[in-house]
Protein backbone atom coordinates (compact mmCIF):
# COMPACT_ATOMS: atom_id res chain seq x y z
CA UNK A 1 0.00 0.00 0.00
CA UNK A 2 1.21 3.47 -0.86
CA UNK A 3 -0.14 6.54 0.92
CA UNK A 4 0.56 9.91 -0.68
CA UNK A 5 -0.25 12.99 1.38
CA UNK A 6 -1.15 16.34 -0.15
CA UNK A 7 -2.55 19.54 1.33
CA UNK A 8 -5.94 21.02 0.54
CA UNK A 9 -7.30 24.01 2.47
CA UNK A 10 -4.68 23.48 5.20
CA UNK A 11 -5.72 19.84 5.67
CA UNK A 12 -3.79 16.71 4.88
CA UNK A 13 -5.52 14.46 2.37
CA UNK A 14 -4.32 10.89 1.88
CA UNK A 15 -4.42 9.17 -1.49
CA UNK A 16 -4.27 5.42 -0.92
CA UNK A 17 -3.12 3.22 -3.79
CA UNK A 18 -1.78 -0.23 -4.25
CA UNK A 19 -1.82 -3.29 -6.39
CA UNK A 20 -4.54 -5.74 -5.61
CA UNK A 21 -7.07 -5.54 -2.82
CA UNK A 22 -6.31 -3.28 0.12
CA UNK A 23 -9.71 -3.63 1.78
CA UNK A 24 -10.95 -7.20 2.19
CA UNK A 25 -12.63 -6.85 5.59
CA UNK A 26 -13.40 -4.44 8.42
CA UNK A 27 -9.89 -4.73 9.87
CA UNK A 28 -8.33 -3.65 6.55
CA UNK A 29 -10.67 -0.67 6.39
CA UNK A 30 -9.75 0.35 9.94
CA UNK A 31 -6.04 -0.10 9.24
CA UNK A 32 -6.24 2.37 6.35
CA UNK A 33 -7.87 4.88 8.69
CA UNK A 34 -5.10 4.34 11.26
CA UNK A 35 -2.33 4.58 8.66
CA UNK A 36 -3.75 7.82 7.26
CA UNK A 37 -4.22 9.21 10.77
CA UNK A 38 -0.52 8.60 11.44
CA UNK A 39 0.08 11.26 8.75
CA UNK A 40 -2.55 13.51 10.34
CA UNK A 41 -4.78 12.91 7.31
CA UNK A 42 -8.43 12.46 8.20
CA UNK A 43 -9.69 12.46 4.63
CA UNK A 44 -8.70 9.83 2.11
CA UNK A 45 -9.11 8.95 -1.54
CA UNK A 46 -9.21 5.23 -2.27
CA UNK A 47 -9.89 3.40 -5.49
CA UNK A 48 -12.63 0.90 -6.25
CA UNK A 49 -10.17 -1.62 -7.67
CA UNK A 50 -8.48 -1.81 -4.26
CA UNK A 51 -11.71 -2.75 -2.48
CA UNK A 52 -13.20 -6.24 -2.45
CA UNK A 53 -16.35 -6.68 -4.54
CA UNK A 54 -18.08 -7.82 -1.32
CA UNK A 55 -17.98 -4.19 -0.18
CA UNK A 56 -20.32 -3.26 -3.02
CA UNK A 57 -22.66 -6.19 -2.30
CA UNK A 58 -24.67 -4.54 0.46
CA UNK A 59 -26.07 -7.78 1.86
CA UNK A 60 -22.58 -8.62 3.16
CA UNK A 61 -22.83 -5.50 5.38
CA UNK A 62 -19.10 -4.82 4.86
CA UNK A 63 -19.66 -1.34 3.43
CA UNK A 64 -21.97 -0.42 6.27
CA UNK A 65 -19.55 -1.65 8.93
CA UNK A 66 -16.53 0.16 7.49
CA UNK A 67 -18.30 3.38 6.62
CA UNK A 68 -20.02 3.52 10.00
CA UNK A 69 -16.58 3.41 11.68
CA UNK A 70 -15.27 6.11 9.34
CA UNK A 71 -18.22 8.33 10.20
CA UNK A 72 -17.91 7.58 13.92
CA UNK A 73 -14.27 8.68 13.91
CA UNK A 74 -14.81 11.71 11.61
CA UNK A 75 -12.78 10.19 8.80
CA UNK A 76 -13.95 11.34 5.38
CA UNK A 77 -13.51 9.14 2.36
CA UNK A 78 -13.90 9.40 -1.38
CA UNK A 79 -14.08 6.13 -3.28
CA UNK A 80 -13.15 6.61 -6.93
CA UNK A 81 -14.54 4.21 -9.50
CA UNK A 82 -17.22 3.19 -11.95
CA UNK A 83 -20.10 1.98 -9.83
CA UNK A 84 -22.42 1.45 -12.80
CA UNK A 85 -20.88 -2.01 -13.21
CA UNK A 86 -22.95 -3.12 -10.22
CA UNK A 87 -26.52 -3.74 -11.28
CA UNK A 88 -28.07 -2.96 -7.91
CA UNK A 89 -30.75 -0.42 -7.11
CA UNK A 90 -29.97 -0.72 -3.39
CA UNK A 91 -26.30 0.12 -4.04
CA UNK A 92 -27.28 3.05 -6.26
CA UNK A 93 -29.56 4.32 -3.47
CA UNK A 94 -26.79 3.79 -0.89
CA UNK A 95 -24.34 5.77 -3.02
CA UNK A 96 -26.87 8.57 -3.52
CA UNK A 97 -27.58 8.86 0.19
CA UNK A 98 -23.89 8.61 1.13
CA UNK A 99 -22.94 11.38 -1.27
CA UNK A 100 -25.51 13.68 0.35
CA UNK A 101 -23.65 13.43 3.67
CA UNK A 102 -20.39 14.75 2.15
CA UNK A 103 -18.48 12.52 4.59
CA UNK A 104 -18.61 9.47 2.35
CA UNK A 105 -18.28 10.13 -1.35
CA UNK A 106 -18.55 7.84 -4.34
CA UNK A 107 -17.09 9.66 -7.34
CA UNK A 108 -15.92 8.92 -10.85
CA UNK A 109 -12.53 10.60 -10.80
CA UNK A 110 -9.73 11.73 -8.50
CA UNK A 111 -10.53 15.31 -9.49
CA UNK A 112 -14.15 14.89 -8.34
CA UNK A 113 -12.88 13.55 -5.01
CA UNK A 114 -10.65 16.59 -4.53
CA UNK A 115 -13.51 18.90 -5.48
CA UNK A 116 -15.79 17.24 -2.90
CA UNK A 117 -13.15 17.65 -0.20
CA UNK A 118 -12.51 21.28 -1.11
CA UNK A 119 -16.18 22.26 -0.67
CA UNK A 120 -16.15 21.96 3.09
Amino acid sequence: MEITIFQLNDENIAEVKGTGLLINNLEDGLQIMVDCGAHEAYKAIIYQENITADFFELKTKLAGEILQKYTQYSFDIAIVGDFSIYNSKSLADFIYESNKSKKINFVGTREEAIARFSKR
Side-chain angles (χ1 to χ4, degrees):
M1 174 172 47
E2 176 185 329
I3 298 176
T4 305
I5 305 296
F6 63 94
Q7 288 246 311
L8 179 66
N9 300 331
D10 296 325
E11 291 182 289
N12 287 342
I13 309 292
E15 184 173 14
V16 181
K17 291 183 179 180
T19 55
L21 296 178
L22 301 177
I23 297 178
N24 288 294
N25 52 47
L26 176 60
E27 291 76 23
D28 293 341
L30 293 175
Q31 189 61 54
I32 286 176
M33 185 172 54
V34 168
D35 292 346
C36 293
H39 296 283
E40 296 184 3
Y42 305 105
K43 295 180 180 178
I45 299 170
I46 190 162
Y47 295 86
Q48 174 185 4
E49 64 264 18
N50 297 129
I51 303 172
T52 180
D54 287 348
F55 181 92
F56 301 99
E57 184 65 48
L58 294 183
K59 68 182 177 186
T60 68
K61 300 183 181 177
L62 182 59
E65 291 173 348
I66 292 172
L67 298 177
Q68 179 182 12
K69 292 290 186 188
Y70 285 5
T71 300
Q72 183 179 354
Y73 293 105
S74 296
F75 187 83
D76 297 359
I77 187 165
I79 300 172
V80 177
D82 176 9
F83 310 105
S84 68
I85 64 170
Y86 303 105
N87 190 19
S88 168
K89 181 178 176 353
S90 58
L91 178 63
D93 292 344
F94 181 78
I95 288 171
Y96 176 79
E97 291 300 322
S98 294
N99 282 349
K100 285 181 8 182
S101 77
K102 297 191 167 77
K103 304 282 293 159
I104 298 173
N105 304 277
F106 291 85
V107 296
T109 66
R110 178 182 186 273
E111 290 72 26
E112 285 179 76
I114 292 168
R116 298 274 308 194
F117 286 153
S118 68
K119 290 181 180 175
R120 311 236 176 109

